[in-house]
Amino acid sequence: MHELSLCHAIAGVVKPHAAGRHVDVVRVQVGALRQVVPDSLEFCWSLVCQHLDENVVDTALELELVPAEVCCRACGQRSKIVSRWSVCCPACASGDVEVLRGNEFLVTSVRCPRA
């Protein structure tokens, strides 16, 4: 379950930004090609939060799921990829594609209440 190590990495990003303040919400972009199970990530986040410090206990994890998108070098078509197991062009079936979106794993915001 690599989601647990991903949650530790998220916590490593959040902690310095929180600067000792309580954190309400952490928003993370997760690309469809990252092979992350959203429910597992949320479960692991709750475990990690319980064992860090009081500033992240009960911190919500909001996920923005980013669909995969490619640009085909063979036909020039820009397409969203429906299957996470194939990144071939849906228009011409070429495997010569550039992945434009779908590889994201990024903490986009950390929300702390105002004092």
Side-chain angles (χ1 to χ4, degrees):
M1 180 187 303
H2 75 288
E3 284 84 354
L4 186 57
S5 61
L6 291 173
C7 286
H8 281 288
I10 293 170
V13 170
V14 169
K15 212 168 176 182
H17 288 287
R21 297 171 292 168
H22 178 74
V23 177
D24 286 336
V25 178
V26 175
R27 290 184 183 91
V28 178
Q29 282 185 345
V30 180
L33 300 175
R34 280 294 177 177
Q35 298 185 3
V36 172
V37 178
D39 289 341
S40 294
L41 191 68
E42 290 171 348
F43 174 74
C44 290
W45 178 249
S46 68
L47 294 177
V48 168
C49 286
Q50 290 174 17
H51 297 286
L52 284 177
D53 60 44
E54 69 272 359
N55 294 327
V56 292
V57 172
D58 298 326
T59 297
L61 183 67
E62 291 183 1
L63 302 179
E64 177 190 347
L65 304 177
V66 180
E69 187 175 348
V70 298
C71 183
C72 181
R73 291 183 183 104
C75 74
Q77 182 73 31
R78 186 175 178 151
S79 307
K80 287 192 177 174
I81 300 297
V82 180
S83 170
R84 57 191 289 192
W85 306 115
S86 172
V87 290
C88 292
C89 175
C92 71
S94 171
D96 188 14
V97 297
E98 175 186 2
V99 175
L100 303 174
R101 297 183 75 201
N103 279 323
E104 295 83 355
F105 192 83
L106 177 68
V107 175
T108 57
S109 69
V110 176
R111 188 176 76 201
C112 300
R114 294 181 183 231

